[in-house]
Amino acid sequence: MASKQEQLNQINAKIAVCQKCPLAKTRTNTVPGTGNINTDIVFIGEGPGKSEDEQGIPFMGAAGRILNEMLEKIKLDRQDIFITNIVKCRPPKNRDPKITEKNICNTYLQQQLALINPTLIIPLGRHAMEYFLPNAKISETHGKPQVIITATGKSQVIYPLYHPAAALYNPRTKLVIADDFALIPSLIKKYKNV
Ligand code: URA
């Protein structure tokens, strides 16, 4: 049986050659996700931007710096968590990913989540949240853990947060994000081994 890391490498290898949607034509690099596969926490953003497309690593630009700052406040770093996106290739000019692109790319996300099996899934922003909670509003749901039953019948805790990019132009949103991040350590304790 392949190790967890080998299985992740196999998923990454499939993503690296993926041609299933038009984003393959305009990407520089695929951005499969990075971090610790034995983590309790998976963060999920919307899709790679320019810096991420150039480097093949999620959250490397301005939003990534906010994410790092928030992680630091709760004494976590990127080695402690796994970070990925709903779509693994950059939408041109950072437009929103299309429904078809999200649906096609979801198979990779499902494989990653099944492998990592985190205690907490943290969707960052509306697009990522909608994947798990299609009818929710981020303004109402952020900072509130939700227990869902996944397609495979597993109970899973989803903790939606505002996207870190929302903090770039709004200091008040940054405070809200920081408050929501502050709950993460206690949520891990609460839901681990439940
Ligand atoms: N925004 C995202 O949602 N994901 C990234 O990887 C970078 C910016």
Side-chain angles (χ1 to χ4, degrees):
M1 166 100 181
S3 70
K4 226 170 154 183
Q5 186 60 56
E6 285 163 349
Q7 290 180 64
L8 186 75
N9 294 347
Q10 285 165 8
I11 300 170
N12 290 351
K14 280 191 273 174
I15 295 171
V17 296
C18 182
Q19 297 289 335
K20 289 186 195 161
C21 91
L23 298 184
K25 298 205 170 44
T26 49
R27 72 180 177 225
T28 312
N29 288 295
T30 55
V31 185
T34 51
N36 186 337
I37 48 169
N38 297 308
T39 183
D40 285 321
I41 316 168
V42 173
F43 285 86
I44 304 172
E46 172 182 333
K50 189 170 186 289
S51 312
E52 294 78 22
D53 174 66
E54 283 165 2
Q55 299 178 60
I57 302 171
F59 283 95
M60 293 307 284
R65 286 192 284 280
I66 303 270
L67 178 62
N68 292 347
E69 196 184 317
M70 296 293 160
L71 288 170
E72 214 173 291
K73 280 184 201 283
I74 55 168
K75 309 220 165 9
L76 287 177
D77 67 35
R78 287 182 180 229
Q79 304 307 315
D80 302 316
I81 60 167
F82 191 85
I83 315 177
T84 186
N85 282 300
I86 292 285
V87 294
K88 315 302 192 201
C89 297
R90 182 191 184 199
K93 298 187 181 150
N94 297 348
R95 64 157 168 75
D96 288 350
K98 295 183 177 164
I99 291 174
T100 47
E101 295 159 353
K102 292 195 272 192
N103 287 344
I104 289 168
C105 216
N106 280 345
T107 56
Y108 299 125
L109 181 63
Q110 279 163 20
Q111 291 168 31
Q112 290 173 322
L113 293 175
L115 183 65
I116 298 171
N117 191 20
T119 302
L120 214 58
I121 292 177
I122 304 188
L124 297 170
R126 180 171 64 85
H127 287 278
M129 182 203 64
E130 279 174 351
Y131 175 68
F132 300 97
L133 304 164
N135 300 315
K137 284 209 170 94
I138 190 78
S139 56
E140 292 165 5
T141 330
H142 75 89
K144 295 182 189 146
Q146 319 274 319
V147 181
I148 62 159
I149 305 297
T150 65
T152 55
K154 178 180 174 277
S155 145
Q156 174 67 61
V157 186
I158 310 293
Y159 184 55
L161 298 184
Y162 280 121
H163 195 286
L168 287 172
Y169 309 102
N170 189 337
R172 259 187 284 167
T173 306
K174 190 169 179 183
L175 293 177
V176 174
I177 296 176
D179 283 349
D180 290 348
F181 260 77
L183 282 185
I184 293 173
S186 61
L187 291 174
I188 294 297
K189 276 201 195 120
K190 177 171 175 187
Y191 290 109
K192 200 170 163 73
N193 304 321
V194 166

